[in-house]
Amino acid sequence: MQALVLEQSEGKTLAAVKMISADSLPPGEVTVDIDWSGINYKDALAITGKGKIIRQFPMVPGIDFAGRVHTSSDPRFHNGQPVLLTGWGVGENHWGGLAEQARVNAEWLVPMPEGMDGRQAMIVGTAGFTAMLCVMALEEGGVTPESGEVLVTGASGGVGSTAVALLNALGYHVVAVSGRESTHDYLRQLGAREVLPRDAFSDPSRPLEKQRWAGAVDTVGDRVLASVLAQMNYSGVVAACGLAGGFALPTSVMPFILRNVRLQGVDSVMTPAARRREAWKRLVKVLPHSFYQQATTEVSLAEAASAAEKLLNNQTTGRTLVRIR
């Protein structure tokens, strides 16, 4: 089988497509024939060695994949069954999806939801799955379309753009925050009613500002998240899932104790199986078909390493899909 293999030599990461034996795959109950994978920012950092993502070599990267069960010793999965995987440290600590086969723990797999195929699942990927978990967190916190405006920060990224599309499809009044003016038209097409510049949220904020947002999905962290918290309505909910702007949080307890604001952390890597299945079913139901028409770059396994370089150099738009078969 072919796989993109990362090895380390004199402190540098080397990426090359190699023929490897299926016997060399790590242990697991289910072996999957992979049809589609993808390259997101974390994959690109791993493949190029520009981020300390991989600590054990050799490693097959690829944190997402979709394909069909080849063999399974777990009764929940049968040969030929379409499945998908995101998270669980796959592609970081356990050989991942940029190969013709993967062997993984059965608990990590999600049966392909009815109404979705492998290519669509990889357009959604970890980013879209995380966005759905954020939307579910807002709903569970009592934020409805009638509650008021909902803010999405880092809206032009993978998580943010999917959150905009999901919230708009569910009837929310969505306001997007983006640092790139070139993305404003794209965000309006996805359903943002208004697009605000990132620098409107970048200055240090007072502990409390004028109330504006019923809910928010934050992918940025740091001062942006602090500003958002200070502007939340009474009983507002913020789903925080990213740190594109930094991991600090320069805020006070004021929004929490005076305005009853909830800050809900959202992690997609270790999400339990039942919650995963629920989120993927919601994605099938809520995402408009037009979402899958968005900009995607399709590459072969042989082109994956150069596609990772292009992604880090901002030379690609939208999702990068890897066609394995």
Side-chain angles (χ1 to χ4, degrees), residues 296-315:
T296 53
T297 305
E298 260 186 48
V299 299
S300 66
L301 189 58
E303 298 166 315
S306 59
E309 286 279 1
K310 285 178 182 169
L311 194 149
L312 291 186
N313 294 332
N314 278 331
Q315 293 171 300

Side-chain angles (χ1 to χ4, degrees), residues 138-208:
L138 297 187
E139 292 173 335
E140 287 155 9
V143 180
T144 67
E146 293 70 45
S147 302
E149 295 180 322
V150 174
L151 190 73
V152 178
T153 68
S156 58
V159 177
S161 58
T162 315
V164 169
L166 287 167
L167 288 162
N168 175 63
L170 288 165
Y172 289 87
H173 181 117
V174 186
V175 178
V177 181
S178 176
R180 287 187 286 164
E181 202 167 315
S182 59
T183 65
H184 289 197
D185 285 345
Y186 167 62
L187 291 168
R188 288 193 178 91
Q189 284 166 22
L190 287 175
R193 307 264 191 101
E194 191 181 346
V195 185
L196 302 175
R198 189 192 310 151
D199 55 23
F201 295 84
S202 299
D203 293 331
S205 64
R206 292 176 298 182
L208 292 174

Side-chain angles (χ1 to χ4, degrees), residues 240-300:
C241 67
L243 40 68
F247 60 78
L249 182 53
T251 189
S252 74
V253 298
M254 296 301 200
F256 309 109
I257 65 173
L258 295 182
R259 288 188 181 162
N260 206 46
V261 169
R262 179 189 297 189
L263 176 59
Q264 175 65 55
V266 174
D267 162 67
S268 67
V269 176
M270 305 303 287
T271 305
R275 180 83 166 169
R276 283 176 187 272
R277 289 194 294 271
E278 183 190 354
W280 280 100
K281 280 179 184 165
R282 288 289 309 280
L283 281 159
V284 173
K285 200 182 291 184
V286 177
L287 268 183
H289 196 71
S290 58
F291 182 82
Y292 301 109
Q293 268 41 80
Q294 67 172 299
T296 53
T297 305
E298 260 186 48
V299 299
S300 66

